[in-house]
Amino acid sequence: MAKQTAGRDNLGEFSPQFAALNDDVLFGEVWDREKQLSLRDRSLITVASLLTQGVPQLEAHLTIVKQNGVTKEEIVELITHLAFYAGWPKAWSAFNLAKEIFDESE
């Protein structure tokens, strides 16, 4: 996985410690534990968690999940499955984001 800089880019001046934890620990250490769990699986788990919370970070992680090899069909199935557990409105929102990111014309 490419070195993460989103924490420093967005919050580096305002909250340098949080930015460092985000970039160096979460993405630098936890996401780097590929022997324990693949990036693909971590991405699916992360997207599922963010979808259930209805938070804006879902959009960025839908891009990451695609980069980590998850197909349109798989993300559609994940969202459909979670609609019954997380809520229909959250699924609608997730589908709108996924449509943009998993555009078939790419």
Side-chain angles (χ1 to χ4, degrees):
M1 179 174 222
K3 178 157 177 52
Q4 180 64 256
T5 62
R8 286 181 177 86
D9 294 347
N10 293 296
L11 295 173
E13 290 183 32
F14 187 75
S15 181
Q17 182 61 41
F18 183 85
L21 290 169
N22 182 81
D23 295 351
D24 301 337
V25 178
L26 174 58
F27 286 97
E29 294 178 25
V30 175
W31 274 82
D32 199 37
R33 295 170 46 87
E34 290 184 61
K35 288 182 182 176
Q36 292 78 8
L37 200 60
S38 71
L39 289 175
R40 183 184 186 287
D41 290 347
R42 281 185 199 280
S43 290
L44 281 169
I45 293 165
T46 301
V47 165
S49 176
L50 295 172
L51 187 155
T52 64
Q53 296 173 69
V55 295
Q57 290 83 355
L58 177 60
E59 183 174 5
H61 280 276
L62 282 168
T63 300
I64 293 169
V65 83
K66 183 179 179 184
Q67 292 167 353
N68 286 333
V70 174
T71 67
K72 179 190 118 184
E73 293 75 20
E74 290 170 321
I75 206 67
V76 165
E77 189 62 24
L78 178 133
I79 297 168
T80 300
H81 183 78
L82 286 176
F84 293 92
Y85 294 93
W88 215 253
K90 289 178 184 173
W92 269 101
S93 295
F95 271 126
N96 284 322
L97 292 172
K99 272 177 57 177
E100 292 175 20
I101 292 164
F102 285 82
D103 184 339
E104 293 181 52
S105 65
E106 294 179 1

